[in-house]
Amino acid sequence: MSKAASLRINPVWTNYAQGLANTRYISNSIFPAIAVDESDTHGKIPVVSEENFELSESRRSPHGDTPKINGKPLKPPIEYGCDFDVLAYGIDFTERKGKVIDMYRHAAWVVTEKIRLRRELAIAQLVRNASLYTDSNTASPSVKWNTANGDPLADYDAAVSKILDNTGQDDNLHVVFGPQAWRSFKGNAKVRAALSDTQARVVTLDKAKELLETQNIHIGKAWYKDPITGVRHNIWADDVIVYCDHPPADVRTLYSHAFGFNVRVRGFDRDGPAMDQYKSEDGLVEYMRGYTWEDLVFHGSRLGYLIDGVN
């Protein structure tokens, strides 16, 4: 029996968990989901190279030999392995009395929120890690955006130029702003000066899309609280990430030219967790349990650019 079949997933609570999306989370826009069969929970993905950009002679003369290409050594592949993340919320029998449905809903909401928060943080830690980027696809502005001479548009243009050099494309890019970076961008004098004289000098999201020539701007506002110190931390801080658009969902595969993917096993490939219920041995505590079965794949850091610490 497969692992998925052995779990007693509750379809009612699983569907309920899918409706608890929090708009603060942007990770699905950065690493979209790809579903794999249970037999493919572990695998290797070839790394995109520049070999297809090299010019080769392909015209064959009559009776001549077919032009040939000598293959180059491949870079080490990216390995992935989908693992279970499981979290359960206990409801004591004294809490269930008279308000069972409310406590179950509360438990499903808490479990779903925590699982999504973990995913958001994990993706942010990948794409904000400068050491994971290749080909010098990262820089920290020498003049910070929250100073008089900071120039966010010049820093952004440098990022786009680098992506174009690496990938041959710069259309339909995505831009992720941490909340501190977004505030600095909106308040920057050079950004405001770039607006048309006929417009109010207020940088709205729509105006930012015009200035950056993209419809895909994501502002990360999620935060988490350290369980030991109680200190709140913003997940996206003051970084900016620029990356190439993903292939459409209907043609997307693990081998697609893309920034990153959230690989999920079929049956666990929805945004929220799969849910079930179970009781303690003495029957006094009932648990709402959420499962995800997935892995994160940073598929091509060459396809993105990190503007690190803009303030």
Side-chain angles (χ1 to χ4, degrees):
M1 180 184 292
S2 71
K3 290 182 180 179
S6 66
L7 300 174
R8 301 178 63 182
I9 302 301
N10 184 312
V12 174
W13 287 113
T14 296
N15 287 333
Y16 178 73
Q18 312 312 311
L20 299 177
N22 191 317
T23 56
R24 297 195 314 271
Y25 299 146
I26 61 173
S27 53
N28 285 347
S29 299
I30 304 171
F31 281 19
I34 282 191
V36 298
D37 294 329
E38 189 172 339
S39 58
D40 296 321
T41 56
H42 292 71
K44 297 181 179 181
I45 305 170
V47 177
V48 174
S49 71
E50 294 182 352
E51 189 172 6
N52 55 321
F53 287 100
E54 295 180 359
L55 187 64
S56 297
E57 180 57 58
S58 58
R59 179 169 295 179
R60 174 186 173 276
S61 59
H63 305 287
D65 292 334
T66 298
K68 300 178 181 65
I69 300 172
N70 293 321
K72 295 185 177 181
L74 296 177
K75 295 181 179 180
I78 299 172
E79 297 188 20
Y80 73 91
C82 297
D83 290 322
F84 276 109
D85 279 337
V86 185
L87 186 63
Y89 187 108
I91 306 170
D92 191 81
F93 81 102
T94 60
E95 299 170 322
R96 298 198 302 266
K97 187 176 181 181
K99 50 183 178 182
V100 176
I101 297 299
D102 287 346
M103 286 305 301
Y104 285 174
R105 287 178 176 174
H106 176 73
W109 179 78
V110 171
V111 168
T112 300
E113 186 78 354
K114 287 180 176 291
I115 286 175
R116 286 189 171 128
L117 180 64
R118 177 210 58 79
R119 181 189 294 147
E120 182 92 354
L121 179 60
I123 290 177
Q125 289 173 335
L126 282 174
V127 301
R128 293 183 57 210
N129 186 344
S131 67
L132 298 180
Y133 285 78
T134 56
D135 299 304
S136 302
N137 278 26
T138 179
S140 182
S142 57
V143 182
K144 302 302 183 182
W145 291 7
N146 57 355
T147 64
N149 294 319
D151 196 342
L153 297 179
D155 293 331
Y156 174 76
D157 285 344
V160 172
S161 294
K162 187 64 176 178
I163 291 174
L164 179 61
D165 288 345
N166 285 340
T167 67
Q169 66 183 73
D170 64 352
D171 55 328
N172 207 27
L173 294 176
H174 288 245
V175 187
V176 174
F177 285 92
Q180 299 160 22
W182 175 241
R183 285 194 294 271
S184 296
F185 181 86
K186 291 194 301 179
N188 183 270
K190 292 184 178 181
V191 172
R192 291 188 175 189
L195 296 174
S196 168
D197 291 336
T198 62
Q199 295 177 311
R201 302 292 184 178
V202 177
V203 182
T204 63
L205 183 59
D206 285 339
K207 291 178 182 177
K209 290 177 180 179
E210 291 182 14
L211 290 173
L212 302 181
E213 298 180 346
T214 179
Q215 293 299 307
N216 308 304
I217 294 180
H218 315 283
I219 303 170
K221 298 180 180 179
W223 57 270
Y224 71 94
K225 184 171 72 172
D226 189 298
I228 298 175
T229 65
V231 176
R232 294 187 180 191
H233 300 275
N234 190 280
I235 289 176
W236 298 98
D238 64 346
D239 292 345
V240 175
I241 301 103
V242 187
Y243 60 94
C244 294
D245 196 20
H246 301 287
D250 57 342
V251 298
R252 189 183 298 155
T253 74
L254 281 172
Y255 302 95
S256 297
H257 200 57
F259 189 50
F261 290 129
N262 183 190
V263 185
R264 303 176 186 172
V265 178
R266 279 185 220 286
F268 300 81
D269 53 334
R270 300 168 75 180
D271 186 31
M275 303 291 296
D276 74 352
Q277 298 167 269
Y278 69 97
K279 292 184 178 181
S280 59
E281 290 186 6
D282 59 12
L284 298 180
V285 181
E286 189 163 8
Y287 293 91
M288 292 290 292
R289 179 168 52 187
Y291 301 85
T292 59
W293 195 0
E294 62 187 47
D295 193 17
L296 302 176
V297 176
F298 198 6
H299 194 243
S301 58
R302 293 179 62 255
L303 309 183
Y305 192 100
L306 171 65
I307 308 176
D308 182 26
V310 301
N311 295 320

